């Protein structure tokens, strides 16, 4: 059992393995639109759907997180700032900013701006390193943004409310923060634990804001149409929680620890491609040749960014903990430890990994 877990760990820590996991994450995230649409049409408010989605997904991942931790509560305490950052910024802040944005601007415009997160990471690394990104990164960025516009729709580029644009940009910052936090050296914290406790924190914050009246929380509990047939209200909700959230965040954080925030964020753009495919397959929405071309451009952008293999480690915004275990105090081991802990949680084996160089922000960009 231990050999099998170690074999899975080695596969996940490789770049090809990380790419496969990242695509799985984008695929899982891409199902959310097709699954949440019936709930919203039945009377669920967006805030209620995402609050239940985040908190319940955290509960789903909690048993796996406990298995991965194996009673090492000190590791969770050492990684508390990453957990809080993921929950407060990566989950709650991003969702709040997105909801505020779509209240005044079209959804397509808000999505287009939010998915500019990879460019924010590129710009931050450029500013910090004082080194211009390599041509492959510029080419990949141009291809990815062009593809994004085609998939979401050229109509997303239009004059809209400035306040809505500001909130959409804040959502993009939150999305970039998600990848940045996930790529930080793990200090022994399993990625599944970061996902579980981050979702619990984020869901709790959103729930408290709903209870205080800041967010409108409304829900209905009657049968609703799902893919052309009536279904109980909990069926799309369970799929949304398990597939679109628990699997999506768990695999996304694991992949980012392997690939680094820059490459993982570009692969994450495939979410809009998968979302369009699921809307076509499950909801009967139109899939145009321009959207298919956009998907190909995004793939070209990912390939271009992937070709740049330089690495840059940006300083962590989280306070260092002097009590960190030996071998985890300094940045390092995120890729191997993250993947190993996921393999251990899946197999129940008692394995350990030695720290390796930090998977930080690739090249002169994240």
């Amino acid at each position: 059992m231990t050999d099998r877990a170690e074999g899975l760990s080695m596969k996940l820590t490789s770049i090809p393995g990380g790419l496969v996991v990242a695509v799985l994450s984008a695929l899982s995230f891409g199902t959310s639109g097709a699954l949440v649409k019936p709930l919203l049409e039945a009377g669920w408010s967006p805030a209620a759907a995402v609050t239940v989605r985040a908190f319940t997904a955290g509960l789903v991942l909690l048993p796996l997180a406990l298995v991965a931790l194996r009673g090492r509560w000190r590791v969770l305490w050492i990684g508390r700032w990453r957990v809080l950052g993921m929950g407060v910024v990566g989950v709650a802040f991003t969702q709040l900013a997105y909801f505020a944005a779509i209240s005044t601007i079209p959804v397509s415009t808000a999505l287009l701006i939010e998915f500019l997160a990879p460019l924010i990471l590129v710009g931050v690394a450029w500013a910090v390193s004082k080194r211009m990104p390599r041509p492959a990164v510029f080419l990949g960025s141009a291809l990815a943004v062009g593809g994004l516009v085609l998939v979401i729709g050229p109509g997303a580029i239009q004059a809209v409310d400035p306040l809505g644009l500001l909130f959409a940009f804040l959502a993009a910052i939150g999305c970039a923060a998600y990848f940045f936090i996930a790529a930080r050296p793990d200090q022994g914290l399993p990625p599944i634990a970061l996902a579980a406790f981050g979702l619990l924190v984020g869901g709790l914050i959103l729930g408290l804001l709903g209870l205080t009246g800041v967010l409108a929380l409304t829900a209905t509990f009657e049968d609703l149409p799902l893919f052309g047939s009536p279904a109980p209200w909990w069926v799309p909700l369970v799929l949304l929680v398990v597939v679109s959230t628990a699997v999506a965040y768990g695999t996304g954080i694991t992949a980012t620890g392997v690939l680094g925030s820059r490459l993982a964020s570009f692969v994450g753009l495939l979410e809009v491609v998968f979302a369009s495919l699921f809307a076509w397959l499950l909801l009967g929405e139109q899939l145009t040749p321009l959207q298919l071309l956009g998907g190909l451009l995004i793939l070209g952008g990912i390939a271009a960014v992937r070709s740049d293999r330089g690495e840059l480690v940006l300083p962590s915004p989280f306070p260092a903990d002097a009590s960190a275990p030996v071998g985890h105090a300094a940045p390092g081991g995120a890729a191997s430890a993250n993947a190993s802990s996921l393999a251990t949680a899946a197999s129940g084996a008692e394995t350990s990994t030695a720290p390796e160089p930090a998977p930080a922000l690739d090249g002169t960009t994240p």
Side-chain angles (χ1 to χ4, degrees):
M1 186 70 74
T2 300
D3 292 341
R4 189 172 64 181
E6 290 177 349
L8 177 58
S9 170
M10 291 178 62
K11 291 179 181 179
L12 290 177
T13 56
S14 67
I15 295 298
L19 286 172
V20 170
V21 177
V23 171
L24 176 59
S25 175
L27 176 68
S28 302
F29 273 122
T31 63
S32 59
L35 294 174
V36 78
K37 186 174 181 179
L39 292 171
L40 299 181
E41 292 179 343
W44 282 66
S45 66
V50 76
T51 299
V52 174
R53 169 187 179 180
F55 190 78
T56 310
L59 293 177
V60 170
L61 291 176
L62 187 57
L64 292 175
L66 296 178
V67 171
L69 284 170
R70 302 193 303 274
R72 297 174 296 148
W73 300 111
R74 184 186 177 197
V75 169
L76 183 61
W77 174 251
I78 292 171
R80 64 192 180 277
W81 297 112
R82 289 183 69 216
V83 172
L84 287 174
M86 181 61 70
V88 174
V89 182
V91 178
F93 174 80
T94 304
Q95 294 296 332
L96 287 173
Y98 176 74
F99 289 148
I102 62 175
S103 66
T104 59
I105 65 177
V107 171
S108 59
T109 304
L111 281 175
L112 178 61
I113 295 174
E114 181 180 3
F115 277 98
L116 295 179
L119 301 189
I120 294 178
L121 292 171
V122 168
V124 169
W126 187 353
V128 171
S129 68
K130 303 295 192 298
R131 297 198 304 271
M132 181 181 294
R134 296 180 176 89
V137 177
F138 283 120
L139 175 62
S141 299
L143 290 174
V145 172
L148 189 64
V149 171
L150 293 180
V151 173
I152 294 178
I157 303 177
Q158 55 181 293
V160 292
D161 178 57
L163 185 60
L165 287 177
L166 173 61
F167 281 120
F169 185 71
L170 291 176
I173 293 176
C175 185
Y178 159 80
F179 288 106
F180 179 78
I181 294 169
R184 291 296 83 199
D186 64 351
Q187 294 184 311
L189 181 66
I192 200 73
L194 176 60
F197 289 102
L199 285 168
L200 288 173
V201 170
L204 183 61
I205 292 174
L206 292 170
L208 291 175
L209 291 175
L211 293 176
T212 56
V214 176
L215 298 178
L217 299 182
T218 57
T220 59
F221 305 100
E222 300 177 353
D223 289 354
L224 45 76
L226 181 65
F227 312 144
S229 302
W233 61 271
W234 52 265
V235 172
L237 185 62
V238 168
L239 293 174
L240 182 69
V241 166
V242 175
V243 178
S244 308
T245 313
V247 173
Y249 274 91
T251 54
I253 290 174
T254 300
T256 305
V258 175
L259 303 176
S261 58
R262 186 189 66 188
L263 181 55
S265 66
F266 274 89
V267 178
L269 295 178
L270 289 175
E271 176 186 340
V272 297
V273 179
F274 288 126
S276 299
L277 289 174
F278 283 120
W280 173 59
L281 290 172
L282 303 177
L283 302 179
E285 296 184 5
Q286 186 178 10
L287 184 64
T288 67
L290 279 180
Q291 288 177 306
L292 296 176
L293 175 61
L296 293 176
L297 289 178
I298 291 176
L299 288 174
I302 293 171
V305 172
R306 167 71 181 87
S307 68
D308 178 29
R309 299 301 303 275
E311 293 189 354
L312 168 68
V313 179
L314 292 183
S316 173
F318 307 112
D321 195 316
S323 63
V326 176
H328 293 288
S336 61
N338 281 358
S340 177
S341 60
L342 186 63
T344 301
S347 65
E350 296 285 336
T351 62
S352 60
T353 55
E356 297 178 358
L361 307 171
D362 309 351
T364 58
T365 61

